[in-house]
Amino acid sequence: MSSVLHEDPYLESWRWMSRQIRCALDPNEPRLIEHYLNEGRYLACCTATHPWTIAETSLRLLLDTASDIALPWHWRSVCLDQAWRPLRDLEQLSQCPCRLKRWQTFAWQLATCELLPSISHSDLVQGSNDE
């Protein structure tokens, strides 16, 4: 059996979890992030998916979600709080100068990420009525 066939259900599950996180489909369930990161670690160690790809994708997802002012602030805060974990994985995988430079860029993005206030529900409703 090919590793790609074995990888597919796990990769699909991981991608579905990423959509749930990015869209804050269940913003009162912070364990989803833990589950997503664990599923990514499984993909990295037990399938053909490269660990760097998993860690970079996870970090970008968490930073993008944290920066999205349309999402609930508490969800964005949880995402930002967990972004150090894939960043740590990237640091461990930074064995060449080009990856080390990318890791430094990601570390700077995390260090300087400012959690702006979220747009209130009333602002969203008002904005749609203005059209």
Side-chain angles (χ1 to χ4, degrees), residues 8 12-14 18 40 51 60 62 79 84 102 118 125 130:
D8 211 29
E12 232 3 83
S13 172
W14 187 67
S18 74
R60 286 179 185 225
L62 294 172
C79 290
W84 67 270
R102 286 176 69 188
S118 293
V125 171
D130 291 343

mmCIF file of all heavy atoms in Angstrom, residues 8 12-14 18 40 51 60 62 79 84 102 118 125 130:
data_model
loop_
_atom_site.group_PDB
_atom_site.id
_atom_site.type_symbol
_atom_site.label_atom_id
_atom_site.label_comp_id
_atom_site.label_asym_id
_atom_site.label_seq_id
_atom_site.Cartn_x
_atom_site.Cartn_y
_atom_site.Cartn_z
ATOM 1 N N ASP A 8 -3.882 10.025 2.826
ATOM 2 C CA ASP A 8 -5.017 10.814 2.378
ATOM 3 C C ASP A 8 -6.097 11.067 3.435
ATOM 4 O O ASP A 8 -6.491 12.216 3.625
ATOM 5 C CB ASP A 8 -5.613 10.181 1.120
ATOM 6 C CG ASP A 8 -6.225 11.212 0.211
ATOM 7 O OD1 ASP A 8 -5.745 12.359 0.220
ATOM 8 O OD2 ASP A 8 -7.185 10.862 -0.499
ATOM 9 N N GLU A 12 -6.834 14.830 4.826
ATOM 10 C CA GLU A 12 -8.161 15.427 4.677
ATOM 11 C C GLU A 12 -8.721 15.855 6.027
ATOM 12 O O GLU A 12 -9.297 16.935 6.148
ATOM 13 C CB GLU A 12 -9.104 14.418 4.026
ATOM 14 C CG GLU A 12 -9.872 14.855 2.819
ATOM 15 C CD GLU A 12 -9.633 16.234 2.279
ATOM 16 O OE1 GLU A 12 -8.694 16.452 1.522
ATOM 17 O OE2 GLU A 12 -10.429 17.141 2.603
ATOM 18 N N SER A 13 -8.541 15.040 7.040
ATOM 19 C CA SER A 13 -9.000 15.378 8.393
ATOM 20 C C SER A 13 -8.274 16.621 8.902
ATOM 21 O O SER A 13 -8.885 17.532 9.473
ATOM 22 C CB SER A 13 -8.748 14.196 9.333
ATOM 23 O OG SER A 13 -9.005 14.555 10.665
ATOM 24 N N TRP A 14 -6.974 16.675 8.674
ATOM 25 C CA TRP A 14 -6.154 17.813 9.104
ATOM 26 C C TRP A 14 -6.605 19.092 8.390
ATOM 27 O O TRP A 14 -6.725 20.152 8.996
ATOM 28 C CB TRP A 14 -4.689 17.497 8.828
ATOM 29 C CG TRP A 14 -3.712 18.482 9.344
ATOM 30 C CD1 TRP A 14 -3.421 18.768 10.647
ATOM 31 C CD2 TRP A 14 -2.845 19.302 8.552
ATOM 32 N NE1 TRP A 14 -2.438 19.719 10.715
ATOM 33 C CE2 TRP A 14 -2.060 20.059 9.449
ATOM 34 C CE3 TRP A 14 -2.649 19.462 7.184
ATOM 35 C CZ2 TRP A 14 -1.103 20.970 9.004
ATOM 36 C CZ3 TRP A 14 -1.689 20.357 6.752
ATOM 37 C CH2 TRP A 14 -0.937 21.098 7.661
ATOM 38 N N SER A 18 -8.259 22.530 9.885
ATOM 39 C CA SER A 18 -7.702 23.861 9.598
ATOM 40 C C SER A 18 -8.804 24.827 9.170
ATOM 41 O O SER A 18 -8.796 25.991 9.568
ATOM 42 C CB SER A 18 -6.590 23.783 8.547
ATOM 43 O OG SER A 18 -7.101 23.562 7.262
ATOM 44 N N GLY A 40 -1.204 17.057 12.794
ATOM 45 C CA GLY A 40 -0.090 17.484 11.951
ATOM 46 C C GLY A 40 1.195 16.761 12.303
ATOM 47 O O GLY A 40 1.947 16.340 11.426
ATOM 48 N N PRO A 51 7.691 17.361 7.309
ATOM 49 C CA PRO A 51 7.477 18.059 8.591
ATOM 50 C C PRO A 51 7.531 19.579 8.483
ATOM 51 O O PRO A 51 6.785 20.281 9.177
ATOM 52 C CB PRO A 51 8.609 17.533 9.480
ATOM 53 C CG PRO A 51 8.994 16.232 8.883
ATOM 54 C CD PRO A 51 8.738 16.355 7.404
ATOM 55 N N ARG A 60 1.277 29.462 9.893
ATOM 56 C CA ARG A 60 0.575 30.470 9.075
ATOM 57 C C ARG A 60 -0.919 30.490 9.385
ATOM 58 O O ARG A 60 -1.531 31.558 9.465
ATOM 59 C CB ARG A 60 0.812 30.211 7.595
ATOM 60 C CG ARG A 60 2.197 30.592 7.157
ATOM 61 C CD ARG A 60 2.400 30.287 5.693
ATOM 62 N NE ARG A 60 3.768 30.543 5.336
ATOM 63 C CZ ARG A 60 4.125 31.195 4.252
ATOM 64 N NH1 ARG A 60 3.234 31.651 3.412
ATOM 65 N NH2 ARG A 60 5.397 31.385 3.992
ATOM 66 N N LEU A 62 -2.400 29.697 12.211
ATOM 67 C CA LEU A 62 -2.636 30.313 13.513
ATOM 68 C C LEU A 62 -2.405 31.822 13.476
ATOM 69 O O LEU A 62 -3.182 32.588 14.058
ATOM 70 C CB LEU A 62 -1.777 29.637 14.573
ATOM 71 C CG LEU A 62 -2.149 28.171 14.846
ATOM 72 C CD1 LEU A 62 -1.131 27.525 15.771
ATOM 73 C CD2 LEU A 62 -3.559 28.047 15.404
ATOM 74 N N CYS A 79 -5.505 31.235 19.324
ATOM 75 C CA CYS A 79 -4.649 30.887 18.179
ATOM 76 C C CYS A 79 -3.259 31.501 18.326
ATOM 77 O O CYS A 79 -2.240 30.834 18.100
ATOM 78 C CB CYS A 79 -5.295 31.326 16.872
ATOM 79 S SG CYS A 79 -6.750 30.355 16.422
ATOM 80 N N TRP A 84 3.374 29.454 19.065
ATOM 81 C CA TRP A 84 4.764 29.125 19.398
ATOM 82 C C TRP A 84 5.083 27.655 19.126
ATOM 83 O O TRP A 84 6.229 27.305 18.854
ATOM 84 C CB TRP A 84 5.071 29.456 20.868
ATOM 85 C CG TRP A 84 4.321 28.589 21.844
ATOM 86 C CD1 TRP A 84 3.093 28.839 22.374
ATOM 87 C CD2 TRP A 84 4.744 27.333 22.366
ATOM 88 N NE1 TRP A 84 2.710 27.807 23.203
ATOM 89 C CE2 TRP A 84 3.712 26.868 23.227
ATOM 90 C CE3 TRP A 84 5.892 26.544 22.199
ATOM 91 C CZ2 TRP A 84 3.790 25.666 23.910
ATOM 92 C CZ3 TRP A 84 5.965 25.343 22.894
ATOM 93 C CH2 TRP A 84 4.933 24.916 23.732
ATOM 94 N N ARG A 102 14.105 31.702 7.086
ATOM 95 C CA ARG A 102 12.638 31.663 7.085
ATOM 96 C C ARG A 102 12.115 31.566 8.517
ATOM 97 O O ARG A 102 11.129 32.214 8.865
ATOM 98 C CB ARG A 102 12.139 30.497 6.235
ATOM 99 C CG ARG A 102 12.316 30.791 4.749
ATOM 100 C CD ARG A 102 11.944 29.653 3.868
ATOM 101 N NE ARG A 102 10.512 29.408 3.890
ATOM 102 C CZ ARG A 102 9.955 28.358 3.311
ATOM 103 N NH1 ARG A 102 10.687 27.472 2.674
ATOM 104 N NH2 ARG A 102 8.647 28.190 3.366
ATOM 105 N N SER A 118 -11.502 42.905 17.689
ATOM 106 C CA SER A 118 -12.357 42.310 16.662
ATOM 107 C C SER A 118 -13.479 43.274 16.310
ATOM 108 O O SER A 118 -13.867 44.122 17.114
ATOM 109 C CB SER A 118 -12.963 41.001 17.167
ATOM 110 O OG SER A 118 -11.962 40.021 17.334
ATOM 111 N N VAL A 125 -23.294 43.882 11.148
ATOM 112 C CA VAL A 125 -24.686 44.007 10.704
ATOM 113 C C VAL A 125 -24.916 45.387 10.098
ATOM 114 O O VAL A 125 -25.507 45.520 9.039
ATOM 115 C CB VAL A 125 -25.665 43.738 11.873
ATOM 116 C CG1 VAL A 125 -27.082 44.074 11.487
ATOM 117 C CG2 VAL A 125 -25.542 42.304 12.330
ATOM 118 N N ASP A 130 -25.632 49.114 5.088
ATOM 119 C CA ASP A 130 -25.231 50.333 4.386
ATOM 120 C C ASP A 130 -25.230 50.163 2.869
ATOM 121 O O ASP A 130 -25.251 51.133 2.140
ATOM 122 C CB ASP A 130 -23.836 50.791 4.839
ATOM 123 C CG ASP A 130 -23.826 51.307 6.273
ATOM 124 O OD1 ASP A 130 -24.925 51.612 6.796
ATOM 125 O OD2 ASP A 130 -22.742 51.373 6.862
#
